[in-house]
Amino acid sequence: MGLQLQNILAAVDGSPASAAVVSRAAMLAAKHGVALRLMDISPWCGTGAAAGPDHLRALARQAAESHGVCVEIIDDRASSVAHIAREAGRHSLIALHHERRVRLRSLWRGSLADQLLRICHSPVLILKSVPAAQESYDRVLVAVDLTPAANDLVAAAGMLDDSSAVQILHAIPPLHANPLRNAEVPEHILRAYLVRRKLEAHAQLLEVAAAALECQKRVETVLRDGEPARHAALQQSSAKAQLVVVGKRRACALLDMLCCGVAKRVIAWCEADIMVVPLDCPGPQSQPASAAHATGSLPAHRLQPTTADKSQP
């Protein structure tokens, strides 16, 4: 439960939603006292004319002045998903806006978030709401599957805000009873198995909550029967959670498109912001800015909160 937010990367594509991404990232950076870096991804998006140095400098200056954070602009512009993922791997978190319409050229590969989640080692924060001034994530929903990674997901939620009220949700997937019935398993044995499965899931969920109490002040468990993504969307709506945390294991584009995993459905169905945590990758290579440059990070120039207006292009 010891994850810490050390630096944040905001992906800017020149769209109106980019301002909300920078605003949310700046709020988090100010809360944790960490550096914020902006990266222009408009070449990948095909909106190069909409974003440029002046646009990035304006966003950086506004973030520095409004939130009092140190903002760096990465000089090199991202032209591929691999390019974005390499830089994201040097940060504790990458923030980007939700693409409601997937571009035709990326139809089978999915949105930028979908593609990043296949190769990125760092958590990805997908913004679907417009942040209000100084708004924090007061209510967080963490969807877990009761594997050892469940504790990592709760820790990731605490990384953003350890004062949030956290609901830990586990939905027990429906049992495919036909094979059991075809095997002539008696009805009372099947019912007993279902009851035992629910009791075991409840006990495991309480263990996850007990571990979370070490860092979180308010933790609640929610156990449901049914499809996990559907219950995550329903619980997010009923609890008015502002952030949903979900894990994802890497898969190829074809498998992602055919199977449409839980994380992908949660992103599509929930109205809150989504943080997707990679479950089968090493932790983010979070480093101070100086260390990141020493290991090959892209060139950047910095805007300090007190000298924003004097920065050189």
Side-chain angles (χ1 to χ4, degrees):
M1 306 293 289
L3 290 180
Q4 291 185 347
L5 196 62
Q6 296 184 9
N7 46 28
I8 302 173
L9 177 66
V12 178
D13 63 2
S15 67
S18 293
V21 171
V22 175
S23 178
R24 170 60 72 189
M27 289 179 191
L28 292 172
K31 182 178 181 64
H32 294 271
V34 301
L36 169 64
R37 308 184 85 206
L38 308 186
M39 186 177 198
D40 181 6
I41 65 169
S42 57
W44 177 86
C45 300
T47 57
D54 292 341
H55 180 70
L56 253 66
R57 280 195 294 270
L59 290 175
R61 186 175 294 109
Q62 183 178 4
E65 293 175 350
S66 300
H67 303 284
V69 296
C70 175
V71 184
E72 294 181 3
I73 299 175
I74 298 175
D75 294 331
D76 204 0
R77 305 170 75 198
S79 57
S80 69
V81 175
H83 192 163
I84 301 169
R86 280 197 303 272
E87 187 60 32
R90 301 183 178 100
H91 294 75
S92 305
L93 182 73
I94 174 172
L96 48 88
H97 70 83
H98 177 244
E99 292 182 275
R100 297 191 179 274
R101 294 182 179 179
V102 179
R103 295 170 177 83
L104 184 60
R105 65 186 177 91
S106 301
L107 186 59
W108 77 275
R109 292 180 182 176
S111 65
L112 173 59
D114 293 332
Q115 296 181 58
L116 270 180
L117 291 170
R118 298 187 193 115
I119 58 176
C120 186
H121 293 181
S122 301
V124 178
L125 178 63
I126 303 168
L127 268 73
K128 302 186 74 173
S129 60
V130 178
Q134 305 303 321
E135 180 187 10
S136 60
Y137 291 121
D138 296 326
R139 295 178 297 278
V140 178
L141 177 67
V142 185
V144 301
D145 61 0
L146 299 184
T147 63
N151 290 331
D152 295 335
L153 291 179
V154 180
M159 177 179 71
L160 294 190
D161 194 336
D162 59 6
S163 62
S164 304
V166 175
Q167 285 189 339
I168 305 175
L169 167 71
H170 175 63
I172 303 175
L175 179 68
H176 297 289
N178 286 341
L180 297 176
R181 297 188 188 282
N182 293 339
E184 298 182 354
V185 175
E187 188 69 26
H188 70 279
I189 293 180
L190 182 58
R191 285 199 301 269
Y193 169 75
L194 294 174
V195 170
R196 187 179 69 179
R197 188 173 74 146
K198 192 165 187 174
L199 290 174
E200 290 176 350
H202 185 251
Q204 290 178 279
L205 195 57
L206 290 178
E207 289 179 8
V208 175
L213 282 170
E214 297 176 7
C215 295
Q216 300 293 136
K217 297 178 180 178
R218 297 171 290 170
V219 179
E220 179 184 352
T221 61
V222 181
L223 186 64
R224 296 284 186 263
D225 283 305
E227 204 281 314
R230 175 176 175 272
H231 279 293
L234 291 173
Q235 187 64 30
Q236 180 270 317
S237 178
S238 64
K240 294 180 172 58
Q242 300 150 330
L243 175 70
V244 178
V245 180
V246 64
K248 186 183 188 305
R249 289 177 174 81
R250 289 191 289 181
C252 67
L254 180 61
L255 189 61
D256 245 1
M257 182 178 68
L258 294 178
C259 297
C260 191
V262 172
K264 195 168 183 176
R265 292 195 294 270
V266 167
I267 294 171
W269 296 346
C270 289
E271 293 301 321
D273 293 351
I274 314 291
M275 182 165 72
V276 185
V277 181
L279 298 181
D280 50 0
C281 297
Q285 303 166 2
S286 302
Q287 306 171 23
S290 58
H293 291 308
T295 55
S297 180
L298 298 172
H301 62 273
R302 177 177 299 182
L303 291 180
Q304 295 287 357
T306 57
T307 59
D309 291 333
K310 300 178 183 179
S311 299
Q312 296 297 326

